[in-house]
Amino acid sequence: AQIGPPGIELQSTNGVIKVKVSPPEGNQVRKMWVDHLSFKYNLVIWENSSNAEFRSETIFPTDIIDDLAPDTTYCLKVQATLPLYSLEGLFSPIRCVKTTHKVNDLLCAKNVSVLSLNMKFHLHWNNQYKQHVSYNVQYLIGYLKKLHDDYSVKWLNVPGCENITDTQCNFSSIITTILGFYYLRVQAVSEYNRSCLSNEVKVDPLITNEIGPPGVKVDISDVLLHIQITPPGGSESEVMRDHYDLSYRVLYWKNSSNNEEEIKMKELKQTIGTVSDLTPSTLYCLKVQAFSEVYNKSSHYSKEECITTPGEQMLSLIILATFVTALVAVLLVAMPFVFVLYQAYNKIKYAFFPSCQPPLNIEGFGGQRFSSPCLSTTEEPIENCSIIETIITEEVDQIDFKDYKHSKQSSRDSGNYSNDDDTSGTKVSEETLEKEVV
């Protein structure tokens, strides 16, 4: 479907032309193009002369055309487009209007500009008014200009920049999103409550902002130059680090009297890097620059940092010291580990392979050895026992009795049934036996 022409209204005032655009089908009840916010408007303007030069720009539904010559007739036309569907509509009818002279009011703030470094935004302007004047810095969220409503009453004052006499304002507090854009202007108020508004300036945070130089620290070990970079804005600046996708350009050279020394360059994606192939006992200097390929921005170089590489003898000492340090570190780590293994080995050995032996009085009992855990080595008291044998014979002579006594003496010597303390028990047994024999 073909996009129809939009409607336009023009007003010439104070050397500028105010343009108000209405969307296609804006005056119709039934509309084919319902989403008016999707429209973008292209303006073509030229002087009404034979050698006119055409100028094209994108405008909002309500916008101001400045930088025009006074007392000059300008003609213009507007076209509505839908970039989402790659559609271009018909141009509106050509309208012409004559500009007026711009009043040079000294009360108005002049040369309003934005300076931003590492996401810190400041607004600056010049004061030409010789009497007392105060300023209010106002801002407008950019998307409000895309609406067809009147946004002139939606300007807000920047906190901390109300009724000030300075010609600068820190408005970083209003930058709550880096994906949108903002407009700022300065309202000057005289002592008689007469006011004047400056020109508007557009602020697109990631485009308006400039990248500052990074911080850098250097260190030397062996023949390697270690570089540690602090991102612009400090390590806590996530916007600078993440949204700009920063890379770093390192320039390093030998600092000697020979001016023909070659300056070498190395690019780093991370904030930590090394430079190798250095000459011993040589003073090296370097500086670092941050840059963003996405936004085609680069910072100034950091301050030069210089360091001297160690000599041959110093290099050997460094290697030896590094080896000794590593060896001590390994020992400190290994000793607790060995101690733990030793303690575990002792516990296992004690539980499953005890070193103590069972007492002698039960060792080998019944022809079997005990495999149970250790028993107490203290010998328990035992009863003194003797074997009484009753021999019933009709005739026993003295020789047999002596033979019996001799046999008993041998049994005691063998130690199978008695010990050294059962002598008295043996005597009683012999007397009893003699009585039984008799």
Side-chain angles (χ1 to χ4, degrees):
Q2 181 68 53
I3 302 175
I8 59 173
E9 296 180 10
L10 303 179
Q11 181 184 2
S12 176
T13 177
N14 197 20
V16 300
I17 299 176
K18 293 184 178 180
V19 182
K20 184 177 181 180
V21 181
S22 57
E25 305 177 321
N27 56 353
Q28 299 182 18
V29 178
R30 299 181 61 187
K31 298 180 176 60
M32 181 173 183
W33 313 106
V34 179
D35 187 9
H36 293 163
L37 296 179
S38 299
F39 282 118
K40 292 187 179 300
Y41 300 99
N42 295 330
L43 169 74
V44 178
I45 186 172
W46 64 94
E47 292 185 14
N48 189 13
S49 61
S50 58
N51 55 350
E53 294 183 359
F54 291 86
R55 186 179 76 179
S56 298
E57 58 183 276
T58 301
I59 63 172
F60 292 108
T62 302
D63 213 332
I64 295 176
I65 312 301
D66 53 5
D67 296 332
L68 302 176
D71 293 330
T72 304
T73 301
Y74 286 89
C75 296
L76 55 85
K77 58 183 180 179
V78 179
Q79 175 193 44
T81 64
L82 284 175
L84 184 62
Y85 302 101
S86 300
L87 294 178
E88 295 182 353
L90 301 176
F91 278 96
S92 67
I94 297 175
R95 299 285 301 275
C96 297
V97 65
K98 186 177 181 179
T99 58
T100 61
H101 282 275
K102 190 171 185 178
V103 178
N104 185 18
D105 192 347
L106 298 178
L107 178 63
C108 295
K110 305 296 182 181
N111 301 324
V112 181
S113 60
V114 176
L115 296 179
S116 175
L117 185 66
N118 297 335
M119 302 308 292
K120 303 298 182 183
F121 296 89
H122 293 80
L123 189 70
H124 294 260
W125 61 91
N126 294 335
N127 177 21
Q128 296 178 334
Y129 198 64
K130 302 302 181 182
Q131 300 178 11
H132 176 76
V133 61
S134 61
Y135 299 100
N136 295 317
V137 180
Q138 301 174 342
Y139 74 97
L140 179 74
I141 300 176
Y143 82 91
L144 295 176
K145 281 198 171 187
K146 294 183 178 181
L147 306 178
H148 289 272
D149 301 332
D150 183 13
Y151 60 82
S152 60
V153 296
K154 296 181 180 180
W155 288 84
L156 301 174
N157 291 331
V158 176
C161 296
E162 302 171 347
N163 296 323
I164 61 175
T165 57
D166 294 335
T167 57
Q168 61 178 357
C169 165
N170 183 349
F171 63 94
S172 303
S173 60
I174 70 168
I175 308 298
T176 57
T177 175
I178 59 173
L179 301 179
F181 55 95
Y182 304 82
Y183 287 90
L184 285 100
R185 68 184 184 186
V186 180
Q187 181 190 36
V189 182
S190 68
E191 55 185 347
Y192 303 106
N193 289 330
R194 187 171 67 89
S195 64
C196 179
L197 294 174
S198 69
N199 293 334
E200 301 173 7
V201 292
K202 181 180 178 181
V203 177
D204 191 339
L206 292 178
I207 296 178
T208 306
N209 180 64
E210 295 296 334
I211 302 175
V216 59
K217 293 182 180 180
V218 294
D219 194 6
I220 196 77
S221 67
D222 299 345
V223 289
L224 288 179
L225 189 63
H226 298 271
I227 306 171
Q228 183 176 356
I229 302 172
T230 303
S235 57
E236 70 281 358
S237 180
E238 297 181 358
V239 175
M240 297 295 297
R241 183 178 65 251
D242 299 336
H243 292 276
Y244 279 110
D245 192 20
L246 293 175
S247 300
Y248 302 96
R249 188 176 293 114
V250 180
L251 298 182
Y252 63 99
W253 64 93
K254 293 180 182 180
N255 192 357
S256 61
S257 58
N258 186 4
N259 295 329
E260 297 180 358
E261 291 290 347
E262 179 184 2
I263 298 178
K264 299 181 180 180
M265 184 187 71
K266 183 175 184 177
E267 290 189 0
L268 299 175
K269 190 64 178 177
Q270 305 296 329
T271 56
I272 296 178
T274 59
V275 175
S276 58
D277 300 331
L278 303 179
T279 305
S281 302
T282 305
L283 180 63
Y284 280 89
C285 294
L286 61 84
K287 56 184 179 180
V288 181
Q289 179 190 46
F291 66 94
S292 172
E293 295 181 354
V294 178
Y295 290 90
N296 193 24
K297 288 179 175 291
S298 59
S299 71
H300 294 290
Y301 279 95
S302 64
K303 294 181 179 180
E304 295 183 3
E305 296 288 337
C306 299
I307 194 169
T308 303
T309 56
E312 296 292 344
Q313 183 178 2
M314 184 62 67
L315 180 60
S316 301
L317 293 177
I318 291 176
I319 296 176
L320 179 60
T322 304
F323 174 76
V324 172
T325 303
L327 182 61
V328 171
V330 170
L331 290 177
L332 292 177
V333 173
M335 287 178 62
F337 182 71
V338 172
F339 178 75
V340 171
L341 288 181
Y342 178 74
Q343 292 296 327
Y345 169 76
N346 286 340
K347 296 294 184 183
I348 295 174
K349 182 179 178 183
Y350 177 78
F352 296 99
F353 305 101
S355 59
C356 52
Q357 299 296 329
L360 295 176
N361 58 342
I362 65 173
E363 184 177 8
F365 177 76
Q368 299 178 357
R369 297 184 62 87
F370 289 95
S371 59
S372 61
C374 295
L375 300 176
S376 175
T377 58
T378 305
E379 189 174 299
E380 297 181 0
I382 60 174
E383 296 181 358
N384 293 328
C385 302
S386 62
I387 300 176
I388 302 176
E389 296 181 3
T390 304
I391 303 176
I392 303 175
T393 57
E394 294 180 356
E395 293 180 359
V396 180
D397 55 8
Q398 187 68 25
I399 298 173
D400 295 335
F401 181 75
K402 292 180 177 181
D403 293 338
Y404 178 77
K405 289 175 64 180
H406 178 72
S407 174
K408 289 295 293 180
Q409 183 66 34
S410 300
S411 299
R412 286 196 302 272
D413 294 339
S414 64
N416 292 330
Y417 297 97
S418 62
N419 52 26
D420 296 339
D421 296 335
D422 57 349
T423 307
S424 60
T426 303
K427 292 180 181 180
V428 174
S429 299
E430 289 177 355
E431 292 176 0
T432 305
L433 183 58
E434 288 177 357
K435 289 180 183 180
E436 288 180 354
V437 172
V438 174

